[in-house]
Amino acid sequence: MRQLSSSQEKELNKLESQLASTRVELNSVRQDLLEAQMELEETKTKSATTLLATEDEILQLRADLRAAHEKIELRNLVSEDDHQRQIRLLKDEVSILSAEKSILHGRLSRSRSPSPIRHSSRSTSPFTRSESPTAAQLTNASRYSRLISRFNDVYANDRLDAQNLLRRYIEDLEMVQRIIFIATAESFHAAKMAFRQFKLRVRKSLSPSHMGPESLEDAVIDYIVRNLDLYDVQSSVNDVISAMNVNPKISFPAEVDFILISGFIREVCRVAFAMQTLEAPLDIAFAVDGELFSETKYRRTYDSELTAPLVFYHVWPSLMENDIVVVKGEAVTKRGALWSPRKSRSRSCSPLRSRSVSPGRTLASRSRSPSPIRSGTSRF
């Protein structure tokens, strides 16, 4: 019995030692498992962070790619506008040269075969200008028709291109049409101001050396017609964009700028500048939201209320020669136009921004003017 009990105690001690060693190994295995789990969690966190960074980089690259595409498209539009402008300048130069050629042929034929009737009319007429008109006077009718055609082309083509560009960022069609109309009105104003300054500089340069049979005014207009490419159209475009940025009637997304339609503004400025060289300069009619709709000045849009008497907003201005409508504009008519919520946003009474003119002075000038058209055109 003593031997059996001693052997059992030995086996029991051996088993206890084995159990202790097993527990030590189990604890080490548990520690390794915890470390492996911690490493796995750390790896998972790093992978998630890397994935988020990769997604951000992908989104940024997509945004950069979209911006690059838009810049390329805008450059293509600007280059296309420049090519069209050069083509038009060449056509104008060809027409002017052909007119000069016809003048020289007429003078040559008159010098070769003089007529007594012409001689008597030359002796009795005190104005030499009547028998030797300038190139600008001879081509006034052709330039008049060509400029009206260009104005219609801007309405049919350039306006739609600018509208499609704006619709990518602005879903409201009304706001897009308001932007285009105000850009057109501001372009006419900027072009006329530039023409006045350019005309003053040309008159100052030509007056000391002018000794021709034609008047100084005709010589100035001739020079401007022959050198329309000297017009700094980019300065006018910058003035238009600056005026539109402070106009309270229109809004624009923060991620883009009005430079997006600079091609359209540039073309309108060129047409408006060239229209000032005509004997009777062309201008756009005065327009204000809520005015009485005129069938002689505007066409209604397809979504207008045909029985509404007031203009809700203007889509395209009408072209005027003094008080005569040359080309009809386009307007949207709706009932209750004066009570539109958009109307309350404006602080001015016209699509153009107010240029340091108080409301009382504006109303006074309108009351003194014989007609709304004259008051509008005098403002520009």
Side-chain angles (χ1 to χ4, degrees):
M1 294 293 291
R2 290 178 180 175
Q3 290 178 356
L4 289 173
S5 61
S6 62
S7 63
Q8 287 179 356
E9 288 178 359
K10 289 179 180 179
E11 290 178 0
L12 183 61
N13 293 331
K14 185 179 180 180
L15 291 173
E16 287 178 356
S17 63
Q18 290 179 357
L19 180 61
S21 63
T22 304
R23 286 177 179 174
V24 172
E25 292 178 358
L26 180 61
N27 290 331
S28 65
V29 170
R30 285 179 179 175
Q31 186 67 27
D32 294 339
L33 182 60
L34 290 175
E35 292 178 358
Q37 288 180 351
M38 292 177 64
E39 290 179 358
L40 181 61
E41 291 294 335
E42 185 178 359
T43 304
K44 188 186 296 184
T45 304
K46 290 181 179 179
S47 300
T49 305
T50 305
L51 181 61
L52 291 176
T54 305
E55 290 180 355
D56 293 339
E57 290 178 358
I58 292 173
L59 293 177
Q60 184 65 31
L61 289 174
R62 287 180 179 176
D64 294 341
L65 181 61
R66 190 182 302 110
H69 281 303
E70 292 175 357
K71 289 182 180 179
I72 292 173
E73 185 177 358
L74 184 60
R75 289 177 181 175
N76 291 334
L77 289 175
V78 172
S79 62
E80 184 178 356
D81 292 338
D82 292 336
H83 290 312
Q84 292 179 357
R85 180 179 65 86
Q86 292 177 1
I87 292 173
R88 286 168 181 164
L89 289 176
L90 290 175
K91 288 182 178 179
D92 294 342
E93 190 69 22
V94 169
S95 63
I96 292 173
L97 291 176
S98 61
E100 291 179 352
K101 182 180 179 181
S102 62
I103 293 173
L104 293 176
H105 279 299
R107 290 178 179 177
L108 183 61
S109 61
R110 285 196 300 269
S111 62
R112 289 181 177 177
S113 58
S115 173
I117 299 176
R118 290 179 181 177
H119 179 73
S120 61
S121 63
R122 186 182 298 112
S123 61
T124 56
S125 176
F127 301 102
T128 314
R129 174 186 168 188
S130 61
E131 61 181 66
S132 60
T134 62
Q137 293 170 339
L138 282 179
T139 60
N140 184 76
S142 62
R143 289 189 296 113
Y144 178 87
S145 60
R146 186 169 60 251
L147 288 173
I148 291 178
S149 177
R150 286 178 61 184
F151 184 78
N152 292 330
D153 290 340
V154 170
Y155 169 76
N157 300 321
D158 299 75
R159 181 185 67 91
L160 293 180
D161 293 340
Q163 181 172 314
N164 293 333
L165 282 175
L166 292 176
R167 288 302 297 273
R168 297 181 182 179
Y169 306 96
I170 305 176
E171 297 181 356
D172 188 6
L173 179 60
E174 175 187 340
M175 181 56 64
V176 171
Q177 291 177 341
R178 284 179 180 270
I179 290 174
I180 293 176
F181 177 80
I182 292 176
T184 305
E186 291 286 355
S187 299
F188 263 84
H189 173 76
K192 286 184 288 184
M193 294 296 294
F195 177 80
R196 293 170 186 172
Q197 297 174 1
F198 189 70
K199 187 176 179 180
L200 290 175
R201 291 196 301 267
V202 173
R203 183 185 288 112
K204 185 177 180 180
S205 300
L206 295 181
S207 57
S209 60
H210 178 69
M211 298 179 60
E214 59 182 0
S215 64
L216 177 61
E217 188 69 18
D218 291 337
V220 169
I221 296 298
D222 281 344
Y223 180 86
I224 297 176
V225 169
R226 299 172 190 270
N227 298 275
L228 288 176
D229 55 338
L230 297 180
Y231 167 43
D232 187 9
V233 65
Q234 186 60 42
S235 177
S236 297
V237 172
N238 296 335
D239 293 341
V240 172
I241 293 176
S242 300
M244 294 176 67
N245 285 330
V246 297
N247 194 298
K249 281 193 174 184
I250 54 179
S251 60
F252 216 56
E255 62 269 14
V256 289
D257 193 18
F258 286 117
I259 197 174
L260 186 67
I261 56 173
S262 60
F264 168 77
I265 296 173
R266 184 178 292 103
E267 183 61 26
V268 176
C269 288
R270 290 197 188 100
V271 174
F273 186 88
M275 285 180 176
Q276 307 311 306
T277 62
L278 299 173
E279 290 183 0
L282 299 178
D283 196 4
I284 58 176
F286 175 80
V288 57
D289 292 348
E291 68 176 333
L292 187 64
F293 179 78
S294 174
E295 294 285 351
T296 59
K297 291 172 59 177
Y298 298 103
R299 299 185 301 270
R300 299 179 193 264
T301 57
Y302 68 94
D303 56 345
S304 299
E305 296 181 6
L306 300 181
T307 58
L310 301 179
V311 174
F312 184 49
Y313 66 91
H314 299 79
V315 176
W316 190 250
S318 56
L319 193 63
M320 308 288 294
E321 182 181 353
N322 295 327
D323 294 340
I324 302 174
V325 178
V326 179
V327 179
K328 279 188 177 183
E330 189 174 352
V332 178
T333 56
K334 287 185 180 180
R335 294 190 177 277
L338 291 176
W339 294 274
S340 170
R342 293 187 182 274
K343 184 68 178 175
S344 61
R345 294 178 54 197
S346 175
R347 297 191 299 271
S348 63
C349 61
S350 71
L352 296 177
R353 63 185 179 92
S354 177
R355 291 181 174 82
S356 67
V357 181
S358 62
R361 188 178 300 176
T362 305
L363 293 175
S365 63
R366 289 181 62 187
S367 63
R368 290 194 301 269
S369 61
S371 67
I373 297 176
R374 288 183 181 276
S375 64
T377 53
S378 63
R379 181 181 179 276
F380 294 112

